[in-house]
Amino acid sequence: MIGLTIAGFDPSGGAGISTDIKTMAAHGVHGCAVVTALTAQNPKKVFSVEPVTLHSISQQIDSIFDEYAIKYSKTGLLYSKEIIQLVSKKVEEYDLSIVVDPVMVASAGDALGKSEIADALKEHLLEKTVLVTPNVSEAEKLSNMKIENVDDAKEAAYKIGEYCNVMITGGHLNGTNIIYNKEKDELSTLHQDLIKTDNLHGTGCSLSAAICANLILLNEKDENSSDDDNLKTAIERSTKFIYESVRNGRYGTLNPNFNSKLL
């Protein structure tokens, strides 16, 4: 079982492709990675972000598919409109099912990409997406509205849901995740108790990676099953996984390898 993450690199190991690979591995999935940007950051501060060239990103993707047949991928930091356009083209070329984490701001509050990201995602990528997983701040940018409570988040989910399935994560909604299934026109909520901790760096990255991994596992079990049918189960399993990863967190970040005997 193989998955792919297309995201930025976090040298502190807590977010981006570092935690994506750890999360996929925790689910028994081999993770391949395409680096879109080199960040200098830690759980408390972003020092700099340096985008990778379009040529390099394209070559990384092509080299992976030259060897492996991969069906599922997730994206994280896509620094610019041009990178989003390239990834969109590759999603079509390789017929990928993708989970999009619309990374715009780091946990520490620093901007990680250009201001055009939200519009570029809607224009080029979201309609090709299995699920987009914005936090409240990202959902505000994608929906062009202020979100102050659960009712606002539901309205925003409908707006974003014009493009694809959406899960607005509940970290700033007292643990209430808002989920809209576009195909079924169903809005639902999934509550997860919040843990009072500083070990939260990378939770959004890991959540999208876990959902991607669970879609791989569910499709492996029944290759005739649809992503829309598997999505509810994948989200439920992934939120439980993230809860335990945060509960066992350390060093300012969650711990996707909490089940490992070699800690």
Side-chain angles (χ1 to χ4, degrees):
M1 295 179 292
I2 306 177
L4 171 65
T5 171
I6 305 172
F9 176 70
D10 172 8
S12 73
I17 60 172
S18 300
T19 197
D20 290 344
I21 294 294
K22 288 186 282 188
T23 297
M24 289 184 181
H27 287 82
V29 173
H30 175 77
C32 298
V34 169
V35 183
T36 59
L38 300 174
T39 75
Q41 66 174 302
N42 59 45
K44 295 181 179 179
K45 183 179 179 182
V46 175
F47 292 78
S48 65
V49 182
E50 185 75 26
V52 173
T53 66
L54 296 176
H55 176 72
S56 177
I57 295 170
S58 180
Q59 290 265 290
Q60 289 178 72
I61 295 172
D62 291 342
S63 69
I64 290 168
F65 283 93
D66 182 67
E67 178 68 19
Y68 301 119
I70 297 175
K71 181 176 180 180
Y72 291 94
S73 175
K74 67 141 289 185
T75 64
L77 174 58
L78 303 177
Y79 179 82
S80 65
K81 177 180 179 179
E82 291 76 19
I83 291 175
I84 291 169
Q85 288 174 315
L86 172 61
V87 170
S88 175
K89 177 183 174 183
K90 293 300 182 181
V91 166
E92 282 191 354
E93 181 179 347
Y94 293 112
D95 194 24
L96 273 171
S97 295
I98 59 167
V99 176
V100 171
D101 177 15
V103 176
M104 301 177 201
V105 179
S107 302
D110 302 284
L112 286 170
K114 295 186 175 180
S115 59
E116 65 199 25
I117 287 179
D119 288 339
L121 286 172
K122 289 187 287 186
E123 182 178 354
H124 300 288
L125 193 58
L126 290 193
E127 290 183 348
K128 304 170 186 176
T129 298
V130 174
L131 178 72
V132 62
T133 60
N135 59 29
V136 164
S137 175
E138 293 156 351
E140 287 182 334
K141 292 180 174 64
L142 290 172
S143 65
N144 293 315
M145 63 171 285
K146 185 70 175 174
I147 300 174
E148 297 181 337
N149 51 50
V150 169
D151 287 337
D152 290 343
K154 290 178 179 179
E155 182 180 347
Y158 279 121
K159 290 186 176 183
I160 302 167
E162 294 175 8
Y163 298 91
C164 63
N165 300 323
V166 57
M167 174 184 182
I168 300 178
T169 57
H172 295 95
L173 295 169
N174 295 317
T176 300
N177 300 283
I178 310 298
I179 303 159
Y180 178 69
N181 187 307
K182 182 177 186 292
E183 182 71 21
K184 298 180 180 180
D185 190 24
E186 290 180 354
L187 184 75
S188 60
T189 61
L190 176 63
H191 185 77
Q192 179 69 68
D193 291 339
L194 298 180
I195 299 171
K196 193 171 184 179
T197 177
D198 292 327
N199 297 319
L200 295 171
H201 183 54
T203 51
C205 304
S206 292
L207 173 65
S208 53
I211 293 171
C212 179
N214 276 297
L215 286 172
I216 293 170
L217 295 173
L218 291 164
N219 184 257
E220 180 80 9
K221 184 176 181 181
D222 180 4
E223 62 181 18
N224 294 316
S225 61
S226 74
D227 292 334
D228 277 322
D229 288 336
N230 289 335
L231 202 52
K232 183 174 185 288
T233 300
I235 289 173
E236 289 174 347
R237 290 180 179 179
S238 298
T239 53
K240 291 177 182 177
F241 173 84
I242 295 301
Y243 180 86
E244 291 300 322
S245 298
V246 171
R247 191 170 68 86
N248 290 276
R250 51 191 181 165
Y251 313 130
T253 187
L254 74 174
N255 175 20
N257 302 125
F258 60 86
N259 275 330
S260 174
K261 295 180 181 178
L262 301 175
L263 295 177

